Each structure stands twice: as structure tokens, then as C-alpha cells.
Amino acid sequence: MANEEKDEAHEPVVGTTALLLQLPDLAAHLKPWVDQWPHEGFTTHVTILVPFVSDAELGEGELAELRAIFEGFAAFDVTFARSARFATVLYLAPEPEQPFRAMTSAVYERWPQCPPYAGVYPDATPHVSVVYHPTAGQFEAVERELAARLPLTARAAAVDLLVYDGSRWNLRERFPLRAS
């Protein structure tokens, strides 16, 4: 089933948190498009879980649990060789996608009150969003331009816990994946 990016599943309020695996090396390759959408405080990423537990509910115990969860995953190289679409989002599909799904599942299993994308979508497809709400013909035009840049590769090495302060997302904690 189609899936859309987090801004459509949940409008953030102060204290909303997100777990993102940021891939800043991809941003330069996607600059013409990602600069067109608001992303105050974060960069090109694959969402692990959003919305997550409110910032006020995250103490040292919860942070230690997150640290342990993500240390259980080895860092890995990820390739983006194809684009795909949700109803209103053009995105890059990661290969492999299973580690992203496994991280989401591990966090959701521990915090079942926090379903991915607030439970709006039955399948939280791992992806890197490129274009939101494209104009007529924009999907096809961007897909053609992207095809010439693909494949792109990046290293998935850490998951970031970000907190929304009402105007931007701020890094609260970085959870490194296990060295591989």
C-alpha cells in the first residue's frame, strides 16, 4: 500500500521525537530537489520511527535501551539504484532495505504505543524522499534526472534521535551502529 513521508502522517508538536538514519552524503546528489522542502535540523535520511515517544518521556533508561537496540545492528553500506513513488512522494529505494525494517521493528516491538507513521500506513516502506507533492509531469522529469545520477551509495552508521522544538528538529542523541 502507498506510503507518504512523515509530514503527512503526523504534524509535529513541540517535544515530538523522531528516529532517523541520516545520510548526509546523499544530500549533494539530491540538492536540486531536497532544497525545495522544509527540513530544518535534519538531512537526507531513512526514517526508522516517527513519531516516537515524546521528549519528556525519554529518560536515561529509555536512551540506554535505544543504545542497546542500535548497537545490535552492524553498520552497512546502502545503495540507491532506483526511484519509486508513493501517491505524493518520489523517493529512492534502499538496497538492502531489510536492515531498516529490522531497526523499525525492534524499536516498535519495545514501544508498541509508537507505530511507524502513527499507524497511518500498514507498511512503513524504507525510503529517502526526493520530491513532495510534485506538479504535473514532475515525477517523470525528476525520475529521468535521477536515473543519470544513480546508483548512489552511502554508509548507514548511526541512528539519530531528533526533537522538534516548534520550528526545527534538534539532535538529542546519536546511536552508533556496531562497527562491521
Side-chain angles (χ1 to χ4, degrees):
M1 174 151 190
N3 174 339
E4 295 178 35
E5 190 58 56
K6 67 184 172 296
D7 65 336
E8 301 198 6
H10 179 77
E11 284 295 320
V13 296
V14 172
T16 296
T17 64
L19 292 166
L20 306 180
L21 199 149
Q22 299 195 80
L23 302 164
D25 293 344
L26 294 183
H29 301 286
L30 304 176
K31 191 168 181 47
W33 307 290
V34 298
D35 282 353
Q36 296 176 22
W37 48 272
H39 53 281
E40 291 297 318
F42 61 89
T43 188
T44 308
H45 66 277
V46 175
T47 299
I48 301 302
L49 193 68
V50 68
F52 186 52
V53 176
S54 75
D55 187 44
E57 298 173 64
L58 289 172
E60 273 309 309
E62 291 78 13
L63 295 175
E65 287 183 76
L66 285 167
R67 212 171 285 113
I69 286 171
F70 293 118
E71 286 173 353
F73 291 93
F76 61 99
D77 292 324
V78 60
T79 300
F80 297 88
R82 67 179 182 85
S83 62
R85 302 177 188 182
F86 299 132
T88 61
V89 177
L90 176 68
Y91 67 91
L92 294 178
E95 297 169 10
E97 75 169 26
Q98 188 52 35
F100 298 106
R101 288 185 181 278
M103 284 184 250
T104 298
S105 292
V107 176
Y108 179 47
E109 183 176 302
R110 165 52 186 90
W111 284 277
Q113 75 275 24
C114 299
Y117 299 102
V120 173
Y121 309 106
D123 179 24
T125 303
H127 64 282
V128 169
S129 297
V130 178
V131 176
Y132 291 95
H133 305 289
T135 58
Q138 191 177 16
F139 267 141
E140 294 80 8
V142 174
E143 283 175 323
R144 282 190 300 274
E145 289 182 57
L146 272 175
R149 297 171 188 229
L150 300 180
L152 299 174
T153 58
R155 182 82 175 153
V159 174
D160 292 340
L161 172 65
L162 292 109
V163 180
Y164 189 67
D165 69 5
S167 62
R168 66 177 285 117
W169 291 90
N170 298 286
L171 179 66
R172 174 162 176 195
E173 183 101 13
R174 176 162 286 147
F175 305 104
L177 303 182
R178 184 179 71 249
S180 58

